[in-house]
Amino acid sequence: SPWKPGSVLLSPPAFSTSCARCGKDGRLRRKRAISERQLTRYFVDQRKVRVVGGQGGGGGHSFLSEPRKVFGGPDGGNGGDGGHVIFKADQQMKSLSSVFPFYQGFHGERGGSKNCYGANGAHMYVKVPVGTLVKEDGKVVADLTQHGEEYIAAYGGAGGKGNRFFLSNENRAPKFFTPGEPGQERVLHLELKTTAHAGLVGFPNAGKSSLLRAISRAKPAVAAYPFTTLNPHVGIVHYQDYEQVAVADIPGLIKGAHQNRGLGVAFLKHIERCRFLLYVVDLSVPQPWVQLQDLKCELEAYEKGLSERPCVVIGNKIDLAQSRINLPLLREQVAVRVIALSALTGDNLEELLLYLRELYDTYVKTEQSRGQSPVKW
């Protein structure tokens, strides 16, 4: 029917009445999927950084000359100090991939007339993950283990003195001033040690990555060849009371790893920060308890006392027939608790999650009894 005065059109207009910028589609766009090979590039656990402090501002050179005060004397102010380069541990950072190879603090401003001091240069803050070691010439100079902890990597130079500073009874009109000092320059090596609560330790193809996929949302690569995992992955296990337990998937170890064989010492260092260990053993191989003995020997050879931390033995691949035969034999050879499960089918994962929470609660109580704050994710 034709439109009549006073009636309301219910159909929407055929064009947008807003501007072109506001008329764009407001729906959220999905992020582009990143492959596992691209994801591993973003994890960096070592970085060489050259840091230079900001240069101090030069001193001012001027003489006061005003009406009725022609010979007012020197009034050049001092220059501002250069800014420091500061490493700051941030819990949001999980890798050293965002750390650049060079940082320099901001320079201080030059001193002005009328005894005006130059402004100090702003500090350059560099965010690094919690658990970062700062080394210089092979020696550890800082260990950033707490959120918000800071370390001054390079001091800024001091500001120069203006000619006002050199005023004396012997020299009533000093004309000289000093330039600002250069900032400190250092070459530092940053080394990241994963600060997870639990560490999955095992030989290649024991099923560590599959287990981490089953108990968390982490997506490490899984394949039927050894050394699939080339970078540590950290998965978060969520509980109903909002507690979060971080589990690290350490790349597979072999005999002689403490002598830098295989992936070597590069990933043994990540186990140092784990509060308790989860030994993952393949139950389908003959004599699986030999794997556990070899793993403990490698950890003990790398660092004395590392294999004595609270632990649990996880017998993986219980869905295979040979694994059911080896399970009672493994429990006879091992004194600690053994949890048999299948990361592929998800059998008996509940027992592991409950015992993992018991280990975490024991760790929290121990840290609180010592007056220290436990690591939270």
Side-chain angles (χ1 to χ4, degrees), residues 168-182:
S168 63
N169 292 331
E170 292 77 11
N171 189 1
R172 303 303 300 173
K175 297 182 179 180
F176 50 90
F177 57 94
T178 59
E181 297 182 359

Side-chain angles (χ1 to χ4, degrees), residues 95-294:
S95 172
L96 294 174
S97 58
S98 59
V99 178
F100 295 106
F102 175 74
Y103 287 97
Q104 184 174 16
F106 294 94
H107 301 318
E109 294 185 2
R110 186 180 182 85
S113 58
K114 298 183 180 179
N115 298 322
C116 292
Y117 282 33
N120 295 331
H123 300 318
M124 172 69 70
Y125 285 91
V126 181
K127 292 184 179 180
V128 296
V130 176
T132 301
L133 283 177
V134 184
K135 294 184 177 181
E136 185 178 16
D137 298 331
K139 297 182 180 179
V140 178
V141 295
D143 189 1
L144 306 178
T145 58
Q146 299 294 333
H147 175 71
E149 192 173 357
E150 297 180 357
Y151 171 71
I152 301 179
Y155 286 91
K161 302 298 183 182
N163 60 342
R164 171 70 181 182
F165 178 81
F166 300 98
L167 178 64
S168 63
N169 292 331
E170 292 77 11
N171 189 1
R172 303 303 300 173
K175 297 182 179 180
F176 50 90
F177 57 94
T178 59
E181 297 182 359
Q184 184 183 15
E185 182 174 357
R186 302 170 69 186
V187 177
L188 303 175
H189 293 266
L190 303 183
E191 182 178 312
L192 175 60
K193 292 186 177 180
T194 307
T195 57
H197 299 116
L200 295 173
V201 184
F203 282 91
N205 283 106
K208 301 182 297 298
S209 299
S210 300
L211 181 59
L212 188 64
R213 278 175 170 260
I215 63 178
S216 69
R217 294 183 180 180
K219 301 297 180 183
V222 175
Y225 54 86
F227 298 112
T228 308
T229 303
L230 298 178
N231 298 279
H233 292 264
V234 179
I236 307 300
V237 181
H238 299 269
Y239 290 92
Q240 294 182 353
D241 56 350
Y242 304 104
E243 284 288 349
Q244 298 179 355
V245 180
V247 181
D249 177 17
I250 309 299
L253 304 177
I254 62 174
K255 289 185 178 180
H258 68 280
Q259 298 174 351
N260 212 16
R261 289 186 59 190
L263 295 178
V265 185
F267 298 108
L268 274 171
K269 61 186 179 184
H270 292 280
I271 309 177
E272 295 182 29
R273 299 294 176 88
C274 296
R275 272 60 183 181
F276 38 91
L277 304 178
L278 308 179
Y279 294 102
V280 183
V281 178
D282 187 358
L283 286 177
S284 62
V285 300
Q287 298 181 350
W289 54 88
V290 178
Q291 293 186 6
L292 181 61
Q293 296 174 1
D294 293 339

Side-chain angles (χ1 to χ4, degrees), residues 10-47:
L10 298 180
S11 60
F15 57 90
S16 176
T17 57
S18 61
C19 63
R21 180 177 300 177
C22 300
K24 292 182 178 180
D25 189 7
R27 292 178 297 179
L28 294 176
R29 297 181 180 179
R30 295 185 60 183
K31 293 185 177 180
R32 181 171 57 89
I34 301 178
S35 64
E36 179 64 27
R37 181 175 297 178
Q38 291 174 327
L39 280 174
T40 55
R41 295 176 184 174
Y42 295 140
F43 185 88
V44 179
D45 59 350
Q46 291 185 358
R47 182 73 82 184

Side-chain angles (χ1 to χ4, degrees), residues 282-284 315-324 340-347:
D282 187 358
L283 286 177
S284 62
N316 195 15
K317 305 180 182 181
I318 194 60
D319 53 311
L320 303 179
Q322 185 63 32
S323 300
R324 300 188 186 96
L341 52 83
S342 174
L344 180 63
T345 61
D347 295 340

